[in-house]
Amino acid sequence: MSDSNVAAAAGSWTPEQPIVSLKEVRKSFGDLEVLKGITFDVMKGEVICIIGPSGSGKSTLIRCINALNPIDSGSIRVEGQEVHDAHLDKLALRKKVGMVFQQYNLFPHKTAIQNVMMAPVQVLKQDKAEVEARARKLIAKVRLEGKEESYPGELSGGQQQRVAIARSLAMNPDIMLFDEVTAALDPETVKEVLVTIKELAQDGMTCMLVTHEMGFAREVADHIYFTDRGVIVEHGPPATFFSEAKDPRTQEFLGQIL
Amino acid sequence: MSDLKGDVIEAIQEFFREVAANNPTWNFIFFYEATQWNKVVSGLWMTVQLSVVCVLFSLVIGVVGAGLQGAKSAVLRAIVAGYIQFFRNTPPFVQLLFFYFALGQFTPTYSPDGWLEIPIISNVGWAIISLSFFAGAFNVEIFRAGVEAVPKSTQEAAESLGYTRLQIYGHIVFPLALRVSIPALNNNLVNLVKTTTQAFVIAVPELLYQSVTIWNDYPSAQYPMMTFLFFAYLALVGVVVVGMNNWERAMRIPGYGG
């Protein structure tokens, strides 16, 4: 265990290996076991979607990957580094893994551009002028030119969510986690956020999404995982997943949602 | 110009001399006798100094205390809780007496001339300590309520951007909590300014103390002095309220809160 950790920490990971690797991940909240042995790998540049009914552990799963939630047993490796290691360098992990939340969670007392600039300047201690130039490009990338000086409270949900995406990207992550990022949005603004994520995916960013947007999953995902009651019931590329689901639980879920 | 000013002062003094001559109980002696006027000015100045210093210290105590309430150590949290109970649940008048007379006995003294024994903490010093801790106990509670009003999810977003606990408190939680706290803080600081009158009991030469010495010397000045006290505190507290309201306005975030 410790030998392999040391080897992993020493940077033995190569891009040919899974960028995120989960093995037998278990997690309980009190008596309720929400993850009952989850195992899967994600390769660099892949886009995976996790779908499933509410309470099936999707969000918990994605939150464990950047150590927002600890796990009880099993292993999660990001670029070869064990996430649930007491000696984990959390900053190093969080530089690699960006996260976008359902409720955007922007810092309400800072303008859009300040939200994007804060972490690189305050956490990574990068040069402010250089970060600002990058932040302006990111704001443009998420199509919010002209909104740089707006406060989150002055922006629509979709605009706030795109600022949140730009804020995560400002840390130059290798992997992006999206936790039901369109669930709180008006139907009209869902599309603008999905377009932004799609462009990211096309640029080669490794993306893991928890989503209810089946059309989007079908279009963008390389691989779809269906979870129910803490286990992966079924998975596959969208082409086969949607048309050839075998498990009755998957069929029932897809029948309700499509 | 200075002649004009001198003339105006002369006229005012003459007016109040006449009022005193015609109304034996309305002797505004401090408006026409330099010695008494100087007492009023020095009392007012002491009240202003005491207020400013105690406000600053009580704010520091509030911020640090609220921070410690979120500390991992149960001992630290218990100390803060005990401190709040003690200072919030006992009268400030009794606290001043206790600090000055009971604790004052144990303070080291120094001797400038080999004869006199002067305690290193004067009565003004004890008043500052006692009143700051008194108002600070309330400030801790006020800031704690503000801290609790900051959504956990906002802090999680910061955590996922690599912020440490301390950085989250400094850059995100505190600036947001402060805005929530200002109205309650406003009340407490107004109370603190008014409570400085109680330093009278340990002979701190603030405005009330000086006023009482004046009406002890000149009983005919008692009603005028009391009337003056009301207006003086109305003006002092008015300055605090206007200042706090401006601050609140300056801190307002567009599109956030009410």
Side-chain angles (χ1 to χ4, degrees), chain A residues 238-255:
Chain A
T240 54
F241 179 84
F242 286 104
S243 51
E244 295 161 28
K246 291 171 203 77
D247 193 282
R249 278 186 283 178
T250 320
Q251 287 167 347
E252 190 196 339
F253 178 76
L254 291 177

Side-chain angles (χ1 to χ4, degrees), chain B:
Chain B
M1 186 64 200
S2 67
D3 264 6
L4 178 68
K5 197 177 154 199
D7 288 347
V8 170
I9 291 173
E10 193 80 6
I12 292 171
Q13 290 179 337
E14 195 48 44
F15 172 76
F16 282 109
R17 265 195 208 98
E18 222 159 279
V19 170
N22 298 329
N23 308 278
T25 55
W26 290 95
N27 182 10
F28 286 85
I29 189 165
F30 45 92
F31 281 150
Y32 60 82
E33 204 193 283
T35 321
Q36 310 309 320
W37 176 245
N38 290 340
K39 279 191 197 172
V40 169
V41 170
S42 87
L44 200 57
W45 179 230
M46 175 57 82
T47 292
V48 169
Q49 287 175 299
L50 202 55
S51 300
V52 169
V53 173
C54 290
V55 162
L56 292 179
F57 278 141
S58 76
L59 288 175
V60 172
I61 291 169
V63 173
V64 173
L68 290 180
Q69 273 188 328
K72 284 207 177 93
S73 155
V75 178
L76 267 180
R77 291 202 305 269
I79 290 172
V80 177
Y83 153 67
I84 292 170
Q85 292 304 317
F86 180 83
F87 277 93
R88 199 184 53 181
N89 303 357
T90 58
F93 194 87
V94 178
Q95 289 167 14
L96 280 159
L97 289 173
F98 175 78
F99 270 78
Y100 181 61
F101 291 108
L103 295 188
Q105 284 187 15
F106 305 107
T107 42
T109 57
Y110 69 100
S111 189
D113 54 7
W115 294 97
L116 274 171
E117 290 277 312
I118 298 173
I120 56 166
I121 302 176
S122 65
N123 56 346
V124 176
W126 282 117
I128 289 170
I129 293 171
S130 163
L131 292 171
S132 299
F133 275 104
F134 167 68
F138 288 87
N139 285 350
V140 173
E141 289 287 60
I142 289 168
F143 282 130
R144 186 181 61 119
V147 166
E148 279 169 8
V150 178
K152 184 101 191 350
S153 55
T154 307
Q155 302 178 44
E156 260 176 2
E159 205 185 326
S160 74
L161 287 166
Y163 281 83
T164 62
R165 275 174 78 92
L166 196 63
Q167 286 173 325
I168 292 174
Y169 190 71
H171 291 302
I172 289 126
V173 175
F174 181 70
L176 291 171
L178 187 62
R179 288 170 168 88
V180 178
S181 306
I182 290 177
L185 208 54
N186 198 344
N187 279 335
N188 190 38
L189 297 185
V190 163
N191 260 327
L192 173 57
V193 171
K194 294 188 294 181
T195 310
T196 58
T197 50
Q198 299 192 8
F200 173 78
V201 75
I202 56 171
V204 171
E206 44 69 61
L207 185 57
L208 178 63
Y209 182 93
Q210 295 290 17
S211 303
V212 172
T213 63
I214 292 173
W215 81 57
N216 280 344
D217 291 347
Y218 302 91
S220 59
Q222 190 170 17
Y223 300 162
M225 199 70 250
M226 286 174 174
T227 311
F228 177 82
L229 277 174
F230 275 115
F231 284 101
Y233 281 99
L234 272 177
L236 274 177
V237 170
V239 169
V240 174
V241 170
V242 168
M244 291 292 286
N245 287 347
N246 284 339
W247 189 32
E248 191 176 350
R249 212 167 303 127
M251 296 277 281
R252 195 164 288 160
I253 308 163
Y256 180 68

